[in-house]
Amino acid sequence: MEYPSGKSRSFLFLQGPHGPFFHILARMLRVTGAQTWRVGFNAGDRAFWRGRADYIPYTGSLDDWPATFETLIAQKGITDIVLYGDTRPIHAGAVAVARAAGLRIHVFEEGYLRPYWVTYERGGANGHSALMHTSLAELRHILANTDHDTAEAPAHWGDMRHHVFYGALYHWFVMFRNRAYRNVRRHRELPVAVEFGLYLKRLLLMPLHRIERRIVTMRIRHGGFPYHLALLQLEHDSSFQSHSSLSTMPEFIELVIRGFALGAAPHHHLVFKAHPLEIGRRNLRAEVARIAAEYGVAGRVHYLRGGKLAQLLDHARSAVTVNSTAGQQVLWRGLPLKVLGAAIYAKPEFVSSQPLPEFFARPARPDRQAYRDFRQYMLETSQIPGGYYSARGRRMLLRNVVDMMLAQHDPYQALAAGTAPPRPHLRATG
């Protein structure tokens, strides 16, 4: 009987999600016969990789990294690289070298259909994903030749609390144990001490923020006014920075408020919803208030700190985003959506091409069935049930992803060729 084998494969791990996921994934790959190595760029990377013999600290500069990486893949006989996000400078340089060398490039990301799934692709994610070049006609043709059931959302993984905890712990190591890695420049602008403090503050204030969020959400849902949603993103997020023409959240806020002031009916309101993992790197509440006052709509513009999107979408008229994955929750409900950046779901069948003032006045609705077909295609290919941060989420993720990494074809090719490994059918349990 044939089974997925890692013999003759050598996986080099770069930076991963905060926490132990990459270490556990490598351990399972070694069981299949593969070799694994890890390059660490700071003390946080080292802390979550328990092996010492297969850990390679990189203490040089970013300029020297591509040449060092090229030497490493030759010395270690690397056949595959594994990374989380493909646009941070360290990863972008490695991907260029790996692609030229003909290596397999395994890219993990947060789920395009988060929070219940994570994304696994080869070659690139988000604006570099193969989905960017797949038409609706192509994916419908592939789905027509496959047997599939509609996947239900699985149970909650409880990842938010774990995500914030691992983020704080990671930055603690970088802040206090990073002496050996001083030459490596971080891909985020804030000093690590500031970022650690923000993570810690967020963790401690989570109960108070939950109460505040419930109060504001209740006021909006029971305010008796029609409202539109603006979905804020993390300003340092790779999808926002690399796959849009905007560089800061205030730029997005001003574009949206200007369009709202020019086009929306005078009794309509606008709600800015912060990203659930926003830890206060910038005072977005103050930015929203300032810009709304400048355009004379202060009484009709609201700011909501994080939380779940579903309750707000139940009563919203439309939504605007740069390229947040939350846009897919909007499309799933059949609501009009305006996208200002490049996104895998920004297909002409789904998103509005209207200028913002016209969109707020008369938003065009998406082709809901077309989006359902697109969503089903993702669930059959790159979306894997599970999560990086909770033990339960990791267990579910590992049940599927190792076979996918060892497979000859990437998830999209495997579905088209009929070689995609079976996945357990999931039912919601809570």
Side-chain angles (χ1 to χ4, degrees), residues 122-137:
R122 293 191 192 170
N126 293 308
H128 298 146
S129 168
L131 287 171
M132 295 292 294
H133 311 292
T134 305
S135 70
L136 188 65

Side-chain angles (χ1 to χ4, degrees), residues 93-325:
V95 166
V97 172
R99 188 171 287 121
L103 306 186
R104 296 180 187 88
I105 302 166
H106 305 271
V107 183
F108 286 89
E109 258 291 6
E110 299 296 335
Y112 294 146
L113 298 174
R114 68 183 73 172
Y116 306 113
W117 291 271
V118 305
T119 297
Y120 165 71
E121 295 180 281
R122 293 191 192 170
N126 293 308
H128 298 146
S129 168
L131 287 171
M132 295 292 294
H133 311 292
T134 305
S135 70
L136 188 65
E138 289 174 308
L139 67 87
R140 277 176 161 168
H141 175 74
I142 294 170
L143 286 175
N145 295 303
T146 61
D147 293 326
H148 55 79
D149 296 321
T150 300
E152 302 286 348
H156 295 274
W157 309 124
D159 270 5
M160 181 60 68
R161 183 176 67 256
H162 298 85
H163 194 158
V164 175
F165 169 76
Y166 282 129
L169 184 59
Y170 181 90
H171 286 92
W172 184 90
F173 278 103
V174 176
M175 186 166 61
F176 293 111
R177 301 291 178 89
N178 214 49
R179 180 176 300 177
Y181 301 89
R182 287 179 176 174
N183 292 326
V184 185
R185 190 172 71 247
R186 302 175 72 240
H187 67 282
R188 298 181 183 178
E189 294 182 0
L190 280 183
V192 66
V194 175
E195 192 144 3
F196 169 74
L198 291 172
Y199 267 107
L200 184 60
K201 181 180 178 181
R202 168 72 193 277
L203 193 62
L204 295 174
L205 292 180
M206 283 181 81
L208 290 178
H209 289 169
R210 189 178 299 115
I211 294 170
E212 175 201 333
R213 190 165 57 242
R214 287 177 179 173
I215 293 171
V216 176
T217 301
M218 189 74 68
R219 287 174 179 169
I220 293 168
R221 292 182 63 200
H222 297 282
F225 45 77
Y227 62 85
H228 307 263
L229 283 174
L231 307 177
L232 295 171
Q233 295 171 236
L234 298 177
E235 197 167 275
H236 64 268
D237 181 74
S238 61
S239 187
F240 175 77
Q241 289 292 337
S242 301
H243 305 303
S244 81
S245 61
L246 304 175
S247 58
T248 69
M249 271 297 114
E251 290 178 61
F252 170 69
I253 292 168
E254 182 160 8
L255 278 175
V256 174
I257 290 179
R258 181 193 301 135
F260 175 78
L262 292 173
H267 62 293
H268 284 207
H269 287 227
L270 176 63
V271 178
F272 282 91
K273 183 190 175 297
H275 190 280
L277 291 173
E278 179 58 61
I279 59 173
R281 294 177 179 90
R282 189 189 292 271
N283 190 341
L284 295 178
R285 184 194 299 276
E287 295 287 351
V288 168
R290 176 182 64 79
I291 298 170
E294 288 179 4
Y295 284 92
V297 291
R300 298 160 54 201
V301 177
H302 312 265
Y303 175 85
L304 179 63
R305 188 196 302 272
K308 296 179 181 179
L309 182 59
Q311 292 179 337
L312 290 173
L313 286 175
D314 288 342
H315 302 282
R317 291 294 182 91
S318 71
V320 182
T321 183
V322 177
N323 50 18
S324 170
T325 56

Side-chain angles (χ1 to χ4, degrees), residues 388-400:
Y388 301 120
Y389 306 104
S390 70
R392 185 183 180 200
R394 288 192 295 270
R395 287 195 297 269
M396 178 58 73
L397 177 53
L398 290 165
R399 288 189 180 110
N400 294 283

